[in-house]
């Protein structure tokens, strides 16, 4: 019995080390072309972008949770990101009102993340990435 368990464990280990099997692209399309097409189809950033001092918006570097009724420089930062990421044309007035909430929901739908109209850590992450991407706006 011990030999069977040892053999099963060795087989499992070798399979996990080998990784998932490679899947060939259908109809002879190279995998790189397929992934490029998928990236374009989703209209999401396909390349990594620099963050930090070259940020397109420079109101603040704080990323607090924001929701209806929030105000201040963090809201201006989020509004600026929304303008760059999806071409929202929001006034960067620092007031998180119904229009900013609605545009936030539009962005979240476009990004494929939780749609709640609030800007938390996940939405901040996507916003800063998309706004600083060279091909923005995406939606």
């Amino acid at each position: 019995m011990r030999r069977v368990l040892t053999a099963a464990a060795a087989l499992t280990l070798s399979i996990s080390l080998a990784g998932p099997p490679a899947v060939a692209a259908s109809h002879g399309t190279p995998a790189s072309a397929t992934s490029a097409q998928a990236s374009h189809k989703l209209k999401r950033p396909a390349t990594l972008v620099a963050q930090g001092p070259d940020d397109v918006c420079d109101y603040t570097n704080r990323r607090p949770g924001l929701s209806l009724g929030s105000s201040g420089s963090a809201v201006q930062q989020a509004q600026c990101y929304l303008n760059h990421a999806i071409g929202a044309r929001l006034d960067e007035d620092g007031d998180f009102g119904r229009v900013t909430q609605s545009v936030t929901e539009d962005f979240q739908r476009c990004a494929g993340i939780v749609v709640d109209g609030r800007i938390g850590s996940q939405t901040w992450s996507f916003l800063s990435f998309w706004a600083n991407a060279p091909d923005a706006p995406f939606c």
Side-chain angles (χ1 to χ4, degrees):
M1 181 69 170
R2 181 175 283 167
R3 286 184 199 164
V4 172
L5 290 176
T6 304
L11 179 61
T12 303
L13 179 62
S14 65
I15 290 171
S16 66
L17 291 176
V23 178
S26 61
H27 306 294
T29 306
S32 60
T34 303
S35 65
Q37 290 167 350
S39 174
H40 178 69
K41 185 176 182 181
L42 292 175
K43 298 188 81 118
R44 294 183 179 178
T47 59
L48 295 177
V49 295
Q51 300 284 312
D54 295 332
D55 200 327
V56 296
C57 303
D58 62 355
Y59 290 102
T60 184
N61 60 0
R62 294 182 8 196
R63 304 290 184 261
L66 302 174
S67 59
L68 192 61
S70 296
S71 63
S73 60
V75 175
Q76 287 177 293
Q77 184 78 17
Q79 290 168 329
C80 180
Y81 279 160
L82 287 163
N83 288 338
H84 284 278
I86 63 172
R89 297 184 183 161
L90 286 170
D91 289 334
E92 295 171 17
D93 59 5
D95 291 321
F96 197 112
R98 296 265 181 224
V99 175
T100 301
Q101 181 183 36
S102 176
V103 171
T104 299
E105 291 170 351
D106 292 343
F107 171 77
Q108 291 168 330
R109 262 189 289 290
C110 177
I113 58 177
V114 174
V115 179
D116 60 6
R118 293 179 283 163
I119 300 177
S121 58
Q122 182 184 44
T123 303
W124 273 119
S125 177
F126 276 74
L127 272 175
S128 65
F129 181 79
W130 283 36
N132 284 290
D135 296 334
F138 292 97
C139 297

